[in-house]
Amino acid sequence: MTLFCSAPLAAQEISCEGDGCDAPAAIIVTGQGLEQTPATPAYSQQEIGRERLTSSASGRIEDALSDVAGFQQFRRSDSRSSNPSAQGVTLRALGGNATSRALVLLDGVPMADPFFGYIPLSALAPERLASARVTRGGGSGAFGSGAVAGTIELESAGPDELGLFSGALLANHRGATEASATLTPELGAGFAVVTGRWDRGPGFFTTPADQRVPASAKSEFDSWSVGLRTAVPLGDDVELQTRGLVFDDRRTLRFDGADSSASGQDASLRIIGRGDWEFDVLGYLQYRDFSNVVISSTRFVKVLDQRKTPSNGIGGKIEIRPPVGQDHVLRIGADYRGSSGNLLEESFSAFTGDLRERRRAGGENSTFGLFAEHDWTLGDLILTGGLRADRWSIRGGYYEARDAAGVLLTDDRFADRSGWDASFRAGALFSASENISLRAAAYSGVRVPTLNELYRPFVVFPVVTQANEALENEKLIGFEAGFDYALSSRSQLSVTAFQNRVKDAVANVTLTPTLRQRRNLDAVRSRGLEVIAKTGFGAIDLFGSLAWTDAEIEGSGASLALDGNRPPQTPKLAASATLAYRSADGWDLSATLRHVGAQFEDDQETFVLPAATTVNAFAKIPLAAGFSIILRAENLLDEEIMTRNQAGSIDLGVPRTIWAGIRIGG
């Protein structure tokens, strides 16, 4: 953790007079959460620092997180050329649908959309962050429920990283622009961070040239976000943090008129205590909305207008760390997360253009958890164990359809459900020598289906995917073992072997060639090997990661035909390697090689997305007065990246894209 303690912005001098007066004390404001516990390294982790976050070729958070082999979205597209509802993130090839199986936190706040479960990636600007810590494997412990594939913790940057003012303006060769600015003024003895970013551009054709029609459109995008964060002292060791985020994201995909939008307004308040009794008290509110127009791929007219999907999230957490001894860290607490939302959509005839139906669907779900976790240091051995009990509820679910005249066609009201689920995580970390650490862990986790999975049908024309109000909770059990070898602070190797199994995994199951439904599979099982390595000499660093996974579906009954199949959208091999040069006078040059193995589009293993190997590049060339020239190249070798293959109807990912611009500070 980086502490910011430069007076007067983060340290307030306390004066005294007379004999026996000690030296002035300082109130230190960090803007961050509590320290990581000693047993944190017992779980498979990879941390991405600010230098790497701000030097990705695309300037997008999903690009930076792809340094962690095994990180993936539901589809290979980035957050400029995909539907926002496809931005579910996962780890360890556990597959799934557009809902995230990894728990993504920003300054302790879950960022998943309350209705869909996707992550608003375009609103998570890398230049605002100090670090990203990725823990692969389930067992959410004190983080809250939902981490069946892992946890991604994003920490916001403070004055140390940002300076008083920083900003950038870039453009690419297709006419897109990226503008960002950050102001970090003093706020009494603390600080404020005001940020803004605007990305817009005409995009590129995601449809291959030989499949384009007059209605084909480029992946035009226009997104902006504004954030405000403050950190001020409430005493010698108590700190108040607030955060607000407003964002709007609009995209066009494949055809003229196939427009989608995602917007949100988030607010949170957090009180951190770093005294003898450490504590973290957090509360947050979220309001999100989503709309999407579906265009027929045969007649190229509007067939579905998902006009609005307003949803609300509310939650909080209380964690207390009592003073239980020098070799012990005890965490106890409770957390709550509630979601509510409604879908409003209209369907139209592809032949006449007339309105056919108006549909409404939605409901509420929530989890209330109690947790306790204990780390115990015994010389070179650190043991950790934690338990959670989650009370979950699914209630108020409904689906209603009316014809164009307002006559009621369907009026389903679904039964409320609730229950308790327990989960655990435990690990051991042993320092075998000055250079080698051994670790092992076992864990379980629970994820409640999202409102989207329970109640919202959707169309990727001509395929209809039905919702399923009877979905059961996903339950994970897993274990892993590995070692970390550190020859020096710059030369390190980490190897982890793992096996995870998600029982009742929710998936889009094919019923007919044009009909799917969300159903619980018996399980998805994933086992594999993860390797992280880095080394460096002088101003040069080389680092990389590799994930090899053997994943398969366990199916019976309606899903018997899927038994033994690989989950859709999950490659067997993913790897990333970066060579970087960073000089003392501010030069920053890097090139990144990424490989994603072949994967299947569908659960029937019918349509293949071929393997893709890409090269990205970044250059920061310092000028005078804190200014730098920025050059970026995405997919430098112009590799064809297939992101969708529906019976030969293909979408492609980002082609070669060259960016140039200027940056100040940061």
Side-chain angles (χ1 to χ4, degrees):
M1 176 180 293
T2 301
L3 300 183
F4 183 82
C5 53
S6 299
L9 185 59
Q12 174 181 311
E13 298 294 338
I14 302 176
S15 62
C16 62
E17 299 178 357
D19 295 339
C21 179
D22 294 330
I27 298 176
I28 298 177
V29 177
T30 71
Q32 299 181 357
L34 296 176
E35 293 278 359
Q36 295 293 306
T37 63
T40 297
Y43 303 98
S44 176
Q45 286 197 341
Q46 184 172 342
E47 184 161 347
I48 305 172
R50 177 170 173 79
E51 283 185 334
R52 181 58 186 157
L53 289 171
T54 57
S55 62
S56 71
S58 67
R60 318 295 288 191
I61 185 63
E62 62 271 24
D63 186 16
L65 290 173
S66 295
D67 278 358
V68 180
F71 167 86
Q72 64 178 109
Q73 298 181 75
F74 179 58
R75 295 194 181 278
R76 295 173 173 180
S77 308
D78 69 9
S79 59
R80 295 163 297 189
S81 59
S82 67
N83 191 286
S85 65
Q87 292 173 184
V89 302
T90 190
L91 298 156
R92 289 193 164 166
L94 286 175
N97 49 50
T99 299
S100 294
R101 283 203 170 113
L103 177 63
V104 179
L105 305 171
L106 175 60
D107 299 326
V109 177
M111 291 305 296
D113 183 270
F115 190 95
F116 292 91
Y118 69 80
I119 308 301
L121 296 171
S122 64
L124 303 178
E127 68 270 10
R128 299 172 184 166
L129 302 176
S131 66
R133 183 184 302 107
V134 179
T135 303
R136 291 178 279 205
S140 52
F143 299 115
S145 64
V148 294
T151 306
I152 300 173
E153 301 169 79
L154 307 177
E155 292 285 349
S156 293
D160 266 1
E161 297 91 355
L162 297 171
L164 178 61
F165 176 79
S166 59
L169 178 62
L170 295 97
N172 73 22
H173 72 281
R174 283 190 291 272
T177 59
E178 175 190 311
S180 62
T182 301
L183 181 65
T184 311
E186 299 179 11
L187 189 63
F191 61 86
V193 180
V194 184
T195 63
R197 176 160 167 167
W198 181 27
D199 297 81
R200 54 153 301 281
F204 56 90
F205 281 110
T206 59
T207 306
D210 60 355
Q211 295 187 5
R212 292 175 199 162
V213 296
S216 295
K218 293 182 178 180
S219 56
E220 181 179 358
F221 62 95
D222 191 339
S223 64
W224 59 266
S225 62
V226 176
L228 171 64
R229 195 168 70 92
T230 67
V232 295
L234 298 181
D236 292 354
D237 49 28
V238 179
E239 179 179 321
L240 172 66
Q241 303 172 9
T242 65
R243 185 176 60 81
L245 177 65
V246 180
F247 64 89
D248 186 79
D249 186 352
R250 299 176 185 273
R251 308 176 197 175
T252 299
L253 299 175
R254 300 197 77 215
F255 301 118
D256 288 325
D259 302 325
S260 65
S261 69
S263 61
Q265 300 90 46
D266 295 2
S268 65
L269 184 148
R270 191 180 196 184
I271 301 175
I272 299 291
R274 295 186 173 86
D276 291 337
W277 284 73
E278 293 186 304
F279 58 85
D280 182 349
V281 180
L282 170 68
Y284 63 89
L285 297 169
Q286 297 169 327
Y287 176 79
R288 306 282 177 85
D289 201 359
F290 170 81
S291 68
N292 185 54
V293 175
V294 178
I295 300 295
S296 165
S297 60
T298 56
R299 298 184 63 86
F300 312 109
V301 295
K302 179 169 67 174
V303 292
L304 190 67
D305 186 354
Q306 298 167 340
R307 298 175 55 243
K308 290 180 68 64
T309 317
S311 62
N312 296 280
I314 183 172
K317 168 187 168 181
I318 299 174
E319 177 183 334
I320 299 173
R321 300 183 184 182
V324 291
Q326 182 177 359
D327 296 328
H328 300 266
V329 177
L330 176 64
R331 311 168 71 181
I332 54 176
D335 53 65
Y336 172 81
R337 192 183 312 167
S339 303
S340 62
N342 299 277
L343 165 70
L344 307 173
E345 72 176 21
E346 299 172 339
S347 69
F348 298 85
S349 168
F351 296 95
T352 66
D354 293 338
L355 176 66
R356 297 176 60 188
E357 282 187 3
R358 289 188 174 94
R359 304 164 186 158
R360 299 175 65 247
E364 303 176 18
N365 61 21
S366 65
T367 58
F368 171 73
L370 301 170
F371 63 86
E373 189 164 78
H374 182 214
D375 292 3
W376 186 10
T377 302
L378 295 164
D380 293 329
L381 176 66
I382 301 176
L383 301 175
T384 182
L387 293 172
R388 280 189 62 88
D390 284 293
R391 174 69 175 181
W392 57 269
S393 69
I394 298 173
R395 57 192 183 276
Y398 72 96
Y399 178 83
E400 176 186 295
R402 296 178 182 271
D403 67 15
V407 177
L408 186 64
L409 302 175
T410 305
D411 187 12
D412 292 331
R413 296 295 186 268
F414 306 119
D416 294 348
R417 295 182 282 152
S418 61
W420 284 92
D421 276 318
S423 56
F424 75 93
R425 69 174 189 169
L429 178 67
F430 176 63
S431 297
S433 70
E434 193 174 280
N435 305 109
I436 298 178
S437 296
L438 308 177
R439 50 186 166 77
Y443 36 75
S444 63
V446 177
R447 186 183 73 84
V448 179
T450 63
L451 301 174
N452 173 56
E453 293 169 311
L454 292 165
Y455 309 123
R456 171 188 170 257
F458 71 94
V459 178
V460 179
F461 198 84
V463 179
V464 176
T465 300
Q466 298 175 333
N468 185 350
E469 76 284 352
L471 291 172
E472 300 290 336
N473 295 348
E474 293 183 343
K475 298 179 181 179
L476 169 125
I477 188 79
F479 57 88
E480 62 189 53
F483 69 88
D484 302 308
Y485 174 71
L487 182 62
S488 68
S489 61
R490 297 184 64 184
S491 296
Q492 300 174 8
L493 174 67
S494 176
V495 178
T496 305
F498 68 89
Q499 177 159 311
N500 289 177
R501 183 176 184 269
V502 181
K503 181 183 177 183
D504 292 323
V506 178
N508 299 333
V509 177
T510 299
L511 305 179
T512 72
T514 59
L515 180 64
R516 297 173 182 169
Q517 186 184 36
R518 297 188 184 95
R519 292 192 175 183
N520 290 112
L521 304 173
D522 288 5
V524 169
R525 192 264 303 149
S526 174
R527 60 188 175 192
L529 192 68
E530 298 161 345
V531 180
I532 306 169
K534 69 175 184 178
T535 189
F537 49 91
I540 296 176
D541 288 291
L542 175 63
F543 55 92
S545 65
L546 178 147
W548 176 86
T549 53
D550 174 25
E552 68 177 25
I553 295 171
E554 298 177 11
S556 64
S559 61
L560 179 61
L562 307 181
D563 188 59
N565 284 6
R566 188 169 182 82
Q569 309 292 337
T570 55
K572 181 171 288 188
L573 179 66
S576 174
T578 297
L579 179 66
Y581 169 84
R582 296 187 177 97
S583 69
D585 56 359
W587 284 74
D588 188 347
L589 309 175
S590 64
T592 299
L593 176 69
R594 289 210 176 102
H595 176 80
V596 178
Q599 57 199 68
F600 292 106
E601 168 73 30
D602 62 323
D603 56 355
Q604 306 293 309
E605 297 190 344
T606 306
F607 308 112
V608 176
L609 304 177
T613 302
T614 59
V615 176
N616 297 332
F618 174 87
K620 175 186 173 185
I621 305 169
L623 302 174
F627 285 87
S628 302
I629 293 175
I630 302 296
L631 302 173
R632 304 190 319 215
E634 301 179 64
N635 193 6
L636 186 60
L637 302 183
D638 205 23
E639 173 85 342
E640 182 175 272
I641 306 168
M642 191 180 298
T643 63
R644 188 184 69 91
N645 179 4
Q646 180 62 48
S649 175
I650 291 170
D651 283 348
L652 301 176
V654 62
R656 179 167 47 231
T657 305
I658 307 300
W659 294 82
I662 196 162
R663 180 188 292 176
I664 180 173

